[in-house]
Amino acid sequence: MSARAPSTAARHRAPLWQKLLLALAAVVLDLLLLEAACRVSGAFPPDPITWPGQYENRESRVFSADRELGWRLRPGADFPWPTEGVDYRILAGAEGFRIDDSPPAAPADPAAPRVDFVGDSFTFGTGVRWSETFAEQACARLRARAVNHGMAGFGVDQMVLTLERVSLRGEAGEAGGPPALVVLTLIADDLQRSLHAYRANAGFNKPSFRVDDEVGFIERTPADRPGALLRFLDEHSHFYAATRGLLRRLGRRWPVGEWWQVNAAWLRRAFDACRQAGVPLLVVHVPQRDRCEPFRTLAQLCAEHDVAFLDVAAAWSESPRDAYWPRDGHLNAKGHALVGELVAQAITAHWPRLAR
């Protein structure tokens, strides 16, 4: 009995390796089309991660390099800070942070509790006078004394280091001793800065760490820089930038991705430092002008560790358009007043003894 001839379908069936190759080619083509679409539209421009040893510090008449924090103001610096055509005076104290530039109207009340504010340029007060910062606005309502340890360009990692090494350590100078309360204020962009080793706007290198589950924080070195392919994608690919942006968006809702995990570790370190020092902590999330979205994972993290949390985005539900500088994006005087009122209310609710 003769063997049956193979059917036409069997004769023309492609081998498995060809099918896999075709599938891979289709995926690559789709990625290239997505990359082209992003480039043509200008969406998702690359924001490459900076690494230790990649850049040198720039000279500055305003800032000075600091091994522990990255940079501080030059002690005694007195300079204007232009914001949309208006110059506001900035005066630096002995610690290298902003201090009151107006002559005291009366001696400070020695019984007034000291509240340390740690944060970025929003806390620092870019675009407003010292008296208009939300730190001053909140403490004026509480009849407390504000110490502003906010610094333009700081990430969450630098804020926590400032909390540990300046606020809680009680460096000599205007701070003097531990505070009655620390207020750590952040915006969403601050979490991305924790992944960088260089701040281009400031022109300074900063401490950069990776988190090991067993060892804890390990300072990055030039050897930690990724390989050529990842560097190329990070520096040139719009689609790669889009995927990183998607992970950041997801990280605001669910505890996923390096963006959230690294910063969550820093925040837990801040919680522990304040708890060990016996100093209460209030964490505040301030929304940026076009992103008034509650920070769910941050709220959950604070709740898990029994840390007081104020989400200004949840209180506002929608960003008041007239609370920000139109082009600069920082809070203006009205925005600082609104945030200051909410901070004072939160402090009063959690620590009524501080509200005199």
Side-chain angles (χ1 to χ4, degrees):
M1 183 176 180
S2 60
R4 180 179 298 177
S7 66
T8 303
R11 288 198 303 269
H12 294 283
R13 184 179 298 142
L16 178 61
W17 68 268
Q18 287 185 357
K19 293 180 179 180
L20 293 176
L21 187 61
L22 287 172
L24 178 61
V27 171
V28 171
L29 179 60
D30 289 341
L31 292 176
L32 290 174
L33 290 174
L34 288 171
E35 177 68 29
C38 291
R39 285 175 178 267
V40 170
S41 66
F44 311 110
D47 179 24
I49 299 296
T50 55
W51 296 87
Q54 192 173 356
Y55 299 100
E56 297 291 333
N57 288 337
R58 295 201 304 258
E59 291 294 325
S60 173
R61 294 179 297 175
V62 173
F63 298 100
S64 60
D66 184 273
R67 178 66 184 87
E68 289 189 323
L69 306 181
W71 59 89
R72 304 192 194 201
L73 297 175
R74 292 188 178 277
D78 189 345
F79 58 95
W81 190 292
T83 305
E84 296 194 16
V86 181
D87 291 347
Y88 290 98
R89 183 188 182 196
I90 304 294
L91 182 62
E95 293 180 308
F97 292 90
R98 188 178 185 181
I99 60 172
D100 192 353
D101 57 272
S102 59
D109 181 1
R114 181 182 125 219
V115 180
D116 266 35
F117 288 78
V118 178
D120 59 7
S121 54
F122 278 61
T123 305
F124 174 87
T126 294
V128 295
R129 300 176 179 85
W130 167 271
S131 60
E132 295 172 330
T133 61
F134 60 72
E136 276 293 298
Q137 294 284 318
C139 286
R141 293 174 178 271
L142 302 172
R143 289 188 291 171
R145 179 165 60 98
V147 172
N148 195 323
H149 285 142
M151 181 60 63
F154 268 15
V156 173
D157 53 352
Q158 292 166 289
M159 298 177 196
V160 176
L161 292 171
T162 301
L163 181 150
E164 290 178 340
R165 302 173 185 184
V166 182
S167 296
L168 298 181
R169 183 181 294 176
E171 291 185 355
E174 66 268 15
L181 171 70
V182 172
V183 179
L184 190 155
T185 304
L186 55 83
I187 63 174
D189 280 358
D190 297 336
L191 281 76
Q192 180 70 2
R193 298 170 188 173
S194 298
L195 305 181
H196 285 265
Y198 180 80
R199 177 66 174 164
N201 290 357
F204 286 94
N205 286 284
K206 58 179 283 295
S208 176
F209 297 82
R210 57 188 174 89
V211 181
D212 184 275
D213 292 337
E214 296 181 359
V215 180
F217 290 91
I218 301 174
E219 188 162 7
R220 285 188 170 115
T221 69
D224 291 307
R225 198 175 180 193
L229 177 60
L230 283 179
R231 292 204 307 270
F232 177 84
L233 292 174
D234 197 25
E235 294 170 3
H236 302 287
S237 173
H238 289 241
F239 180 70
Y240 186 75
T243 60
R244 295 179 69 97
L246 175 61
L247 285 174
R248 291 195 295 270
R249 295 284 297 178
L250 293 175
R252 293 175 64 109
R253 294 173 173 83
W254 298 283
V256 297
E258 182 187 24
W259 180 84
W260 170 252
Q261 297 296 339
V262 168
N263 287 284
W266 278 110
L267 290 166
R268 284 192 290 268
R269 178 165 161 169
F271 301 163
D272 292 341
C274 285
R275 191 168 289 114
Q276 291 173 11
V279 176
L281 173 66
L282 171 65
V283 176
V284 179
H285 166 237
V286 175
Q288 292 163 258
R289 181 179 54 193
D290 298 321
R291 282 177 281 175
C292 190
E293 178 184 348
F295 206 142
R296 296 178 184 174
T297 43
L298 181 56
Q300 181 180 358
L301 181 72
C302 291
E304 290 173 354
H305 291 267
D306 196 25
V307 171
F309 176 61
L310 165 64
D311 196 333
V312 176
W316 279 353
S317 72
E318 182 177 348
S319 294
R321 302 299 298 178
D322 58 350
Y324 299 82
W325 287 97
R327 296 186 303 277
D328 176 82
H330 284 92
L331 293 169
N332 58 22
K334 176 180 178 179
H336 275 268
L338 293 173
V339 173
E341 181 179 4
L342 291 172
V343 171
Q345 291 173 359
I347 293 174
T348 302
H350 289 282
W351 305 280
R353 290 186 178 182
L354 290 179
R356 300 188 304 156

